[in-house]
Amino acid sequence: MARTLARAETPDAIQPQGWLIVCDSGASRVRRHSSNLAGLFPAWPGPFIGANLREILGPQVTHSLRNALSRFASPAPPALLTGLLLPGCAGAYDLAVHAIEDETVIEIEPAAPENDRSLLDRLRAFIARLAQAGDLDKTLQAAARLCFAMLQYDRVAVLRLDALGRATLVAEQKAGDLDSWSGSAGPPAIFSEETRAKWLACRLRLLIDADSPPAAILGAPEAGALDLTLAFLRAPSPDERAVLRQSGAAAALAIAIVVDGLLWGLVFCAHRTPRHPAMELRAAAELFGEFLSLRLQVLSPQRTAQKRAARPAAALDGLRVMIVEDQALIAMDLEASLTETGVTVASVCTSCAEALMALESVEIDAAILDYHLHGETSLAVAEALEKRAIPFIFVTGESLSGQGDDPKPLTRLAGRALARKPYEMGRIMAALGEALADPE
């Protein structure tokens, strides 16, 4: 019988394969810490509570994590710092840091023996393969296969969750000696409403060893409960341990699939022996999950109907288009969606400089310009396109005119059509058609 993954979590505890320090909002004084912290810093002379974080981690590491905190709003996914050296500690360490309410949560893990320099290239290749998979079923099968290759777990199962949290297997890749979950063997879990809410918040859940006893969080007696929702090392609940055992697994990594703001399902990776993937590998898995979510959003029945309605007239079929978009995942998703409508994407650029260089060597019929890029606008590209008499459209989620939401000053300046974010293929194709029909 399937078990329900309920709320009975181990309170204020982490998995013992790492260490945790909780400070004030300024990352200055230690308020709490995991009970195993003395094992990482055996030479520390006194209690950790009340100590200056700078004296424990060193000035350079403390400065780096404060800078990382300043780049993220609160609450937000942890910022990652990899390959750091800590005072009196052998080897390198990875840190994840995030703010929650008035506290700073710092997680410390041993760094991988050697950084995988090919990881980013492999991730890019995997995302490209996922974008080319085609329909929904092929995309889900490709996701299972690619995660199996990237993460090296014994089993990767893509699970669809219904409104009650019941899991249905929709794709699977596994070691040859394991039975498939497509039969009576599984999937084993029914996820509670609270657990599903946590997936929406943290997007990636890591369970390193179901049998390892958790390390308690030590703090002042009057300290309230610690919110570990966003912590990678949050200790598993008794029910999570039971689900792992029922699955024949000692370790798991799960990636949330979120479509239109709702939890669509999970990429659930299970392993028969304890497994602690490096922080950088988990970051890559999280990015892969974000792109998979975007693809499923595009391939959902409602979006598929929109794309069919937006399918271009014969004049647009085969149109060669340049995309200028500074968000890589959004650009990849737009490229895949345009390709499915019959448009050819000739170039994808993330900056003005890159786009201007591409214009010298790539032949295009039209361009889609994200107006607001990192630290600049795409006006320089628009001017270059005007000189070449190449139609283009602007796409943005913000005002272009500086005077409310009226985009007329900019469209009058550029003489081109405009579409609003978020990207919807109906709007994109209509704006492209308008630009091609009346380029002036």
Side-chain angles (χ1 to χ4, degrees):
M1 181 176 178
R3 294 184 59 87
T4 299
L5 202 56
R7 189 183 189 282
E9 289 202 19
T10 305
D12 289 359
I14 64 166
Q15 300 176 68
Q17 292 80 10
W19 306 268
L20 184 135
I21 298 174
V22 181
C23 299
D24 53 32
S25 58
S28 177
R29 295 285 174 181
V30 176
R31 290 181 175 178
R32 326 181 200 215
H33 63 87
S34 58
S35 58
N36 59 352
L37 191 63
L40 179 62
F41 298 105
W44 184 254
F48 290 101
I49 303 296
N52 190 319
L53 182 67
R54 182 186 178 95
E55 295 177 1
I56 298 174
L57 300 184
Q60 184 172 350
V61 171
T62 304
H63 179 72
S64 295
L65 70 86
R66 286 172 179 166
N67 283 343
L69 274 174
S70 68
R71 295 195 293 268
F72 287 81
S74 177
L80 309 181
L81 298 92
T82 59
L84 301 180
L85 302 178
L86 303 180
C89 299
Y93 295 84
D94 294 338
L95 272 65
V97 55
H98 71 277
I100 187 75
E101 296 180 350
D102 65 340
E103 294 187 304
T104 300
V105 179
I106 304 162
E107 300 174 84
I108 306 173
E109 301 177 39
E114 183 175 343
N115 288 334
D116 186 351
R117 296 182 179 179
S118 69
L119 181 59
L120 182 58
D121 284 339
R122 285 190 287 134
L123 176 61
R124 292 176 63 197
F126 287 173
I127 287 177
R129 290 185 188 180
L130 194 65
Q132 297 167 1
D135 62 23
L136 183 62
D137 289 341
K138 291 179 180 177
T139 297
L140 295 172
Q141 291 293 341
R145 184 174 65 255
L146 294 170
C147 281
F148 186 79
M150 178 170 62
L151 300 174
Q152 300 290 299
Y153 279 73
D154 291 331
R155 184 196 308 273
V156 174
V158 182
L159 306 178
R160 178 75 167 100
L161 301 182
D162 66 13
L164 298 178
R166 292 174 297 200
T168 301
L169 182 73
V170 293
E172 183 182 43
Q173 191 76 21
K174 62 180 183 62
D177 59 338
L178 288 176
D179 292 331
S180 173
W181 278 357
S182 60
S184 59
I190 300 173
F191 296 94
S192 72
E193 183 176 357
E194 181 172 356
T195 298
R196 283 177 277 147
K198 288 187 176 181
W199 289 122
L200 279 172
C202 66
R203 302 294 174 94
L204 185 143
R205 180 69 167 123
L206 174 68
L207 300 172
I208 300 169
D209 182 0
D211 293 322
S212 59
I217 305 300
L218 307 180
E222 65 274 11
L226 177 63
D227 188 344
L228 292 173
T229 299
L230 298 179
F232 291 119
L233 294 173
R234 174 165 49 93
S237 70
D239 278 342
E240 283 178 312
R241 294 177 188 272
V243 166
L244 282 179
R245 293 193 187 97
Q246 190 176 352
S247 307
L253 183 145
I255 308 162
I257 304 172
V258 179
V259 176
D260 289 327
L262 301 175
L263 185 64
W264 185 96
L266 301 172
V267 178
F268 187 81
C269 310
H271 206 66
R272 286 169 285 190
T273 58
R275 180 157 175 75
H276 190 176
M279 193 176 285
E280 286 185 336
L281 182 59
R282 284 155 26 210
E286 195 167 4
L287 285 174
F288 184 88
E290 288 185 20
F291 184 77
L292 175 60
S293 296
L294 286 171
R295 289 301 298 145
L296 296 196
Q297 186 161 302
V298 169
L299 294 171
S300 68
Q302 180 182 1
R303 297 303 176 95
T304 300
Q306 289 177 353
K307 285 190 295 183
R308 285 174 182 161
R311 192 160 187 85
L316 297 186
D317 204 9
L319 189 76
R320 294 164 300 183
V321 171
M322 168 189 284
I323 298 171
V324 181
E325 165 63 65
D326 59 356
Q327 298 294 322
L329 290 176
I330 294 176
M332 289 178 185
D333 186 58
L334 178 59
E335 179 181 7
S337 298
L338 285 169
T339 301
E340 289 168 5
T341 65
V343 172
T344 298
V345 177
S347 179
V348 179
C349 306
T350 60
S351 68
C352 281
E354 189 177 344
L356 293 173
M357 185 178 299
L359 283 176
E360 300 298 327
S361 57
V362 178
E363 186 176 352
I364 63 171
D365 302 313
I368 299 172
L369 310 180
D370 181 11
Y371 179 70
H372 293 284
L373 304 173
H374 284 307
E376 60 180 350
T377 71
S378 56
L379 277 176
V381 183
E383 293 170 356
L385 290 165
E386 283 188 321
K387 290 179 181 178
R388 291 167 169 80
I390 298 174
F392 63 89
I393 66 171
F394 284 114
V395 184
T396 182
E398 304 175 35
S399 172
L400 301 179
S401 63
Q403 300 175 3
D405 291 327
D406 181 10
K408 290 180 181 178
L410 183 63
T411 52
R412 185 164 59 245
L413 169 66
R416 297 298 186 266
L418 174 115
R420 290 287 183 187
K421 284 187 175 180
Y423 286 112
E424 290 185 6
M425 292 312 299
R427 295 178 182 177
I428 295 292
M429 302 312 297
L432 278 175
E434 180 185 341
L436 288 163
D438 185 18
E440 299 301 326

